[in-house]
């Protein structure tokens, strides 16, 4: 492996726009859902925006028998269905001509030997300069075998001036020991700087905007602490159920599926200190400090600060839906949580005594992800004394849908009487910038091609997050007297115990 710095100097950290070098993207598990729904549509959209180097080539590595033509045909169908922009025939043709299919078992020596030859040939014919991006879109049980083969056939080694990187999809382990083991396995083949652990929430435009909001504006940062902030709520609500992913979800549950990664990442962006610069490691250094400052929730505290729930039959948008235990390939006696609400504390100087309430759930009435920062109330003099119910200021960062930011403040209702009502200052991405935000995978693929790991999870972040999550999982699954799993009807806002979690502190969950 070359010791030369592998990042493009024009594209360091969050500082400038992507300038990827030509490369070959090798997707392991290329016949899977992710390739069709996300990866190929994302690459097509990058191409449509003119940001994809013309030499970029894709090789789909999978077990099924298929010709290049068949593979391209299937991907075209998928792109038409899932692409953000309309697929244009001419552009698709020129994009599809750079896609190849490579049939092989994941453990077959001959398959990797042929892959190595094919990559060399692509370099010579297309000018991909020996740059390789391996995308592991396979079950974690396959990681080790594939990585070992890449090493055995020298595919992790690069010629002078080129690079080889790996993108690893979630789930990144199911607990701390398995994540550590995975990290060990990956690091035996690729150094940390070439390892990109994907968390697609970090690629969402509004998630990236949290840092801009906080550190490019002078008015928020002075207020961004325990003196002025009362509490923070982070919600990720989905109307969807488990959508045929029963076996995966059964071994995961909402806490591992969403909190360990996506929601803790959002919390870190809200709570972190300003990084010293915008490089990947400076940003991630600050995020990992937040996870390290999370007050551990262990033993009996789990029943007090964490509420878990599972949906029963109900109705979403007027349509009857099954309960979780009736879903396909789900244990009829399953104890897997599809909802979780937590009260968290970040034990550092900035956030002392500011609760962070986090909730996530499937089969809730509405889909939406948002962060709501509630400021402390104005002193109880003047208007706050004369008028009851003067609400607090709330800054809401809408991650999706309708990405944007709003600030709730108090205003006088016109007229002779003194009546005060909350009004909103509202910024919508759609109307302010007049164009759709790129999909998370577009940004993240471009970043990985450019060697920028800022929006990817670092080894220590992942492990620290598991440390925090494992204590809760242990209390649920290993203790003598595990806290209850509460039922909620599909289409409701979760178990009432989750409301009580906030009511105890004099708060209520925001309605999305
Ligand atoms: C995935 C989870 O990581 O994120 C899914 O495995 C969840 O269960 C999904 O539905 C939510 O992502 P998004 O981008 O659709 O909000």
């Amino acid at each position: 492996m070359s010791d030369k710095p592998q990042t493009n100097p024009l594209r360091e950290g969050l500082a400038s726009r992507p300038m990827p070098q030509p490369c070959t993207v090798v997707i392991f598990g290329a016949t899977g859902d992710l390739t069709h729904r996300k990866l190929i549509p994302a690459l097509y959209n990058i191409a449509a925006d003119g940001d994809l180097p013309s030499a970029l080539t894709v090789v789909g590595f999978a077990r099924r028998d298929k010709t290049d033509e068949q593979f391209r045909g299937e991907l075209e169908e998928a792109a038409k269905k899932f692409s953000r922009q309309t697929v244009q025939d001419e552009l698709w043709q020129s994009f599809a001509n750079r896609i190849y299919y490579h049939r092989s078992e994941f453990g077959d020596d001959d398959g990797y030997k042929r892959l190595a030859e094919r990559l060399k040939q692509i370099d010579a014919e297309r000018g991909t300069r020996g740059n390789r991006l391996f995308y592991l879109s396979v079950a974690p049980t396959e990681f080790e075998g594939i990585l070992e083969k890449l090493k055995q056939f020298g595919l992790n080694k690069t010629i002078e001036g080129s690079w080889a990187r790996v993108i690893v999809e979630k789930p990144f382990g199911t607990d701390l020991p398995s994540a550590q083991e995975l990290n060990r396995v990956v690091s035996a083949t690729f150094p940390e700087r070439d390892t990109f652990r994907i968390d697609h929430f970090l690629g969402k435009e509004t998630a990236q905007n949290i840092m801009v909001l906080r550190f490019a504006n002078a008015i928020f940062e002075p207020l961004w602490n325990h003196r002025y902030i009362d509490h923070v709520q982070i919600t990720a609500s989905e109307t969807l159920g488990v959508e045929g992913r029963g076996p995966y979800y059964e071994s995961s549950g909402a806490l591992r599926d969403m909190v360990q990664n996506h929601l803790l990442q959002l919390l870190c962006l809200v709570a972190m200190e300003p990084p010293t610069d915008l490089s990947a490691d400076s940003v991630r250094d600050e995020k990992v400090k937040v996870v390290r400052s999370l007050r551990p929730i262990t033993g009996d505290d789990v029943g007090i600060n964490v509420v878990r729930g599972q949906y029963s039959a109900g109705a979403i948008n007027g349509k009857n839906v099954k309960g979780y235990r009736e879903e396909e390939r789900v244990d009829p006696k399953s104890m897997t949580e599809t909802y979780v609400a937590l009260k968290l504390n970040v034990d550092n100087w900035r956030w002392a005594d500011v609760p962070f309430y986090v909730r996530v759930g499937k089969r809730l009435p509405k889909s939406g992800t948002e962060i709501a920062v509630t400021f402390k109330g104005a002193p109880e003099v003047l208007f706050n004394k004369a008028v009851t119910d003067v609400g607090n200021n709330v800054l809401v960062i809408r991650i999706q849908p309708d990405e944007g930011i709003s600030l709730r403040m108090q205003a006088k209702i016109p007229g002779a009487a003194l009546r005060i009502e909350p009004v909103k200052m509202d910024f919508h991405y759609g109307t302010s910038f007049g164009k759709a935000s790129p999909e998370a995978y577009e940004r993240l693929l471009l970043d990985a091609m450019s060697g920028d790991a800022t929006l990817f999870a670092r080894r220590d972040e992942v492990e620290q997050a598991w440390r925090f999550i494992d204590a809760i999982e242990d209390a649920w699954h290993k203790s003598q007297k595990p806290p209850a799993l509460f039922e909620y009807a599909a289409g409701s806002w979760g178990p009432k115990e989750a409301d009580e979690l906030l009511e105890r502190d004099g708060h209520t969950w925001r309605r999305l």
Side-chain angles (χ1 to χ4, degrees), residues 263-481:
L263 293 221
L264 286 186
Q265 286 288 348
L266 292 183
L267 184 143
C268 286
L269 292 171
V270 174
M272 67 194 256
E273 296 301 316
T276 43
D277 56 51
L278 292 176
S279 69
D281 274 334
S282 298
V283 172
R284 298 187 298 177
D285 283 347
E286 296 309 328
K287 285 199 295 159
V288 77
K289 283 188 211 160
V290 176
V291 195
R292 279 172 45 207
S293 308
L294 282 177
R295 186 182 303 166
I297 308 179
T298 55
D300 290 347
D301 284 347
V302 174
I304 299 169
N305 292 314
V306 185
V307 174
R308 57 174 172 159
Q310 187 188 70
Y311 64 82
S312 54
I316 303 265
N317 296 329
K319 245 180 83 186
N320 289 339
V321 296
K322 297 181 200 166
Y324 177 70
R325 290 179 181 181
E326 286 100 58
E327 298 274 13
E328 229 177 280
R329 294 181 293 162
V330 165
D331 179 357
K333 291 195 183 126
S334 172
M335 290 296 283
T336 301
E337 80 288 355
T338 58
Y339 175 101
V340 59
L342 308 95
K343 176 182 173 181
L344 305 176
N345 281 90
V346 180
D347 279 341
N348 62 18
W349 191 277
R350 184 189 285 264
W351 295 112
D353 297 326
V354 178
F356 284 74
Y357 302 104
V358 171
R359 68 179 159 160
V360 51
K362 298 221 179 263
R363 288 286 189 228
L364 300 184
K366 220 171 151 185
S367 287
T369 304
E370 65 157 51
I371 298 163
V373 179
T374 299
F375 290 86
K376 291 195 168 153
E380 296 214 351
V381 293
L382 304 180
F383 297 116
N384 262 9
K385 200 169 169 194
V387 184
T388 51
D389 259 0
V390 172
N392 296 11
N393 297 117
V394 184
L395 182 76
V396 177
I397 304 168
R398 290 187 304 274
I399 306 290
Q400 60 187 18
D402 185 23
E403 296 110 317
I405 298 173
S406 72
L407 179 63
R408 187 177 80 169
M409 51 200 177
Q410 310 307 323
K412 180 181 168 298
I413 302 176
L418 175 62
R419 281 165 50 226
I420 294 180
E421 222 178 71
V423 290
K424 263 204 259 172
M425 253 167 62
D426 215 350
F427 148 62
H428 296 260
Y429 264 78
T431 45
S432 295
F433 294 119
K435 61 173 194 176
S437 301
E439 285 266 333
Y441 276 94
E442 295 174 34
R443 172 65 196 254
L444 296 174
L445 280 166
L446 266 176
D447 281 1
M449 287 176 211
S450 310
D452 180 357
T454 315
L455 300 177
F456 294 81
R458 203 169 59 187
R459 181 178 185 149
D460 50 350
E461 274 181 88
V462 171
E463 291 185 4
Q464 197 61 42
W466 276 121
R467 219 165 256 129
F468 177 78
I469 294 296
D470 280 359
I472 300 172
E473 291 282 350
D474 282 354
W476 285 349
H477 302 293
K478 293 191 185 151
S479 77
Q480 299 285 1
K481 269 179 54 200

Side-chain angles (χ1 to χ4, degrees), residues 79-148:
K80 286 188 171 150
K81 212 158 141 195
F82 299 113
S83 166
R84 174 170 66 83
Q85 308 180 60
T86 314
V87 172
Q88 289 166 9
D89 283 345
E90 212 175 306
L91 186 59
W92 174 264
Q93 278 320 320
S94 78
F95 173 67
N97 285 340
R98 323 183 209 165
I99 303 178
Y100 300 98
Y101 187 73
H102 188 84
R103 201 211 79 78
S104 170
E105 297 296 320
F106 294 138
D108 179 10
D109 281 3
D110 184 54
Y112 290 83
K113 212 167 125 211
R114 286 186 291 112
L115 177 68
E117 284 157 13
R118 197 160 190 179
L119 291 178
K120 259 197 204 140
Q121 196 186 341
I122 290 172
D123 287 340
E125 285 172 8
R126 310 197 62 105
T128 36
R129 302 191 207 160
N131 295 329
R132 272 120 213 211
L133 182 61
F134 297 103
Y135 200 118
L136 301 190
S137 172
V138 291
T141 44
E142 307 280 5
F143 287 176
E144 183 160 13
I146 294 174
L147 289 162
E148 271 174 4

Side-chain angles (χ1 to χ4, degrees), residues 38 170 200-201 204 238 240 245 248-249 257-258 261-262 362 369 400:
K38 298 286 183 192
K170 74 176 273 250
H200 79 282
F201 265 51
K204 292 183 191 277
E238 291 182 278
L240 291 179
R245 294 157 79 216
Y248 157 72
Y249 205 80
D257 183 47
M258 292 286 287
N261 36 58
H262 310 324
K362 298 221 179 263
T369 304
Q400 60 187 18

